[in-house]
Structure formats: C-alpha cells, structure tokens
C-alpha cells in the first residue's frame, strides 16, 4: 500500500490504537493489498473514550464488554453484577487498553488472510 495513505490512516485513527502497536499496524497496512484498502477504511472501530464512559456508568451490567466484542465476559460480568462491583471498578481503568487491542485485532485478523 502507498506510504502516504498508510500515514494518513494512522494519523486519523491513532486514538483507536495503543501507541506501542502503531509500528506493527503501520507495517501491516503497508503489506496489505491495495484492493483491500476500502474495506480497511470502512471497518468500524470502537472509540476507547466512549467505551470508558460506558464502563463507568454501565460497567456492572457488562455493556462495555459487549461493546468491544467480549460476549462471554459481558455475560459473566452481567450475571455477577460486575464481579460484585470489583470487576466493574477495575474495568473502568482497563477497558481503554482492551478497546485499543480489540481495534488492532479487528484490523489485523480481518485482513491478514488477504496478504
């Protein structure tokens, strides 16, 4: 893929990925076929700040975990009322990085078979 397009994508979407994962993402995007570029651009990513706010207000019922695609953990968190609220409090701090990791996994896993 064209280096300018990759740098533009990273500049616009930097907030959705952890800083330490940016070099890995950059290399992956450079290796992706140009025909997949539109699909990558249209891939919906979760905003870590939005998920964190949801975690603060609806964490005990597992909504934050459902948002990032952790269905099993969302169900367990709902059934246990956020691990008796302890898990819900911890998730307020952890869910930001989890969302960034989920976004990276979504890009890497959906398009790695096309390399």
């Amino acid at each position: 893929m064209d280096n300018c397009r990759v740098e533009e994508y990273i500049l616009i979407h930097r907030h959705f990925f952890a800083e330490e994962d940016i070099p890995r993402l950059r290399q992956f995007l450079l290796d992706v076929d140009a025909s997949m570029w539109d699909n990558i651009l249209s891939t919906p990513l979760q905003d870590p700040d939005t998920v964190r706010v949801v975690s603060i207000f609806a964490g005990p019922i597992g909504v934050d975990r459902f948002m990032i695609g952790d269905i099993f953990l969302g169900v367990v968190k709902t059934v246990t009322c956020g691990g008796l609220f302890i898990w819900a409090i911890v998730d307020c701090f952890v869910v930001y990085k989890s969302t960034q990791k989920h976004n990276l996994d979504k890009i890497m896993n959906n398009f790695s078979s096309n390399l």
Side-chain angles (χ1 to χ4, degrees), residues 77-95:
K77 194 172 177 182
T78 301
V79 170
T80 63
C81 290
L84 299 176
F85 292 96
I86 295 170
W87 185 5
I89 293 169
V90 171
D91 254 1
C92 289
F93 300 101
V94 176
V95 78

Side-chain angles (χ1 to χ4, degrees), residues 33-110:
D33 186 41
S35 64
M36 297 305 299
W37 193 246
D38 288 336
N39 293 338
I40 289 173
L41 290 176
S42 65
T43 301
L45 300 173
Q46 291 289 334
D47 184 4
D49 288 326
T50 303
V51 177
R52 180 180 278 167
V53 169
V54 168
S55 181
I56 291 168
F57 293 107
I61 57 174
V63 175
D64 52 344
R65 288 295 175 165
F66 288 115
M67 285 178 71
I68 63 172
D70 289 340
I71 304 302
F72 177 74
L73 291 178
V75 169
V76 172
K77 194 172 177 182
T78 301
V79 170
T80 63
C81 290
L84 299 176
F85 292 96
I86 295 170
W87 185 5
I89 293 169
V90 171
D91 254 1
C92 289
F93 300 101
V94 176
V95 78
Y96 191 88
K97 284 285 188 187
S98 296
T99 305
Q100 289 178 325
K101 182 185 177 314
H102 171 73
N103 287 334
L104 181 68
D105 290 345
K106 187 185 280 190
I107 294 290
M108 301 284 276
N109 293 336
N110 287 348

Side-chain angles (χ1 to χ4, degrees), residues 5-19:
R5 285 179 138 184
V6 170
E7 292 303 323
E8 181 182 8
Y9 180 85
I10 290 173
L11 183 65
I12 293 169
H13 295 91
R14 182 177 224 69
H15 176 70
F16 295 102
F17 304 102
E19 195 63 37

Side-chain angles (χ1 to χ4, degrees), residues 15-39:
H15 176 70
F16 295 102
F17 304 102
E19 195 63 37
E20 61 270 10
D21 292 330
I22 296 293
R24 188 170 148 215
L25 176 65
R26 178 179 287 114
Q27 187 58 49
F28 177 79
L29 292 174
L30 287 170
D31 293 340
V32 167
D33 186 41
S35 64
M36 297 305 299
W37 193 246
D38 288 336
N39 293 338

